[in-house]
Amino acid sequence: MSEEQRARLIVCTTCRAGRPLAEGETPPGALLHADLQRRIVEDADSRLELAEVKCLACCDRGCSCAITMPGKWTYLLGHLSPGSAGDLLEYATAYLASASGAVLPSRRPPALRGAVIGRLPAAEMQA
């Protein structure tokens, strides 16, 4: 499968979900990333590429991630938890099926209806 056919899901792994961490506690963002990684590896047909980043600057908005694909809008999602992996994969399926990447709130999992923080147009899109 070529890179153009895959969406990239980028998860903030240093995210503390807006709270201080106890000494030695794994950041919630790292837990979310680990669960997504396990699920994506188990799905041989996945069209998702998982990536991590140290900070998406959404520190007071729970765990956060971005989803992007050539020719589509990039979406920044927040208010997530380590248990959001299943909902994110459902959202990603709708994102992949959308010509522009837009996923209406009614097509999002209920837990992600208010998760969109912002979006950026694809580099190829005209203003």
Side-chain angles (χ1 to χ4, degrees):
M1 181 174 297
S2 72
E3 281 302 311
E4 293 83 78
Q5 296 174 310
R6 295 172 63 94
R8 179 177 245 197
L9 185 61
I10 306 161
V11 178
C12 174
T13 57
T14 57
C15 183
R16 299 176 307 195
R19 64 177 179 77
L21 296 180
E23 188 173 327
E25 182 181 359
T26 302
L31 296 173
L32 176 59
H33 183 273
D35 192 14
L36 285 164
Q37 187 170 37
R38 179 186 59 78
R39 291 171 184 243
I40 290 169
V41 166
E42 289 175 357
D43 181 1
D45 295 326
S46 180
R47 292 180 53 208
L48 286 176
E49 172 190 338
L50 184 63
E52 62 182 272
V53 68
K54 296 293 183 202
C55 185
L56 285 172
C58 297
C59 302
D60 292 331
R61 295 185 174 152
C63 296
S64 59
C65 72
I67 188 164
T68 188
M69 189 172 183
K72 294 187 179 194
W73 287 92
T74 294
Y75 281 86
L76 180 61
L77 306 170
H79 312 289
L80 307 172
S81 72
S84 297
D87 289 328
L88 280 171
L89 293 175
E90 187 178 334
Y91 179 92
T93 298
Y95 178 88
L96 283 158
S98 169
S100 68
V103 180
L104 297 175
S106 63
R107 298 204 181 263
R108 297 177 199 154
L112 300 186
R113 295 225 169 111
V116 173
I117 296 171
R119 70 181 189 164
L120 298 169
E124 308 83 25
M125 291 181 174
Q126 298 290 326

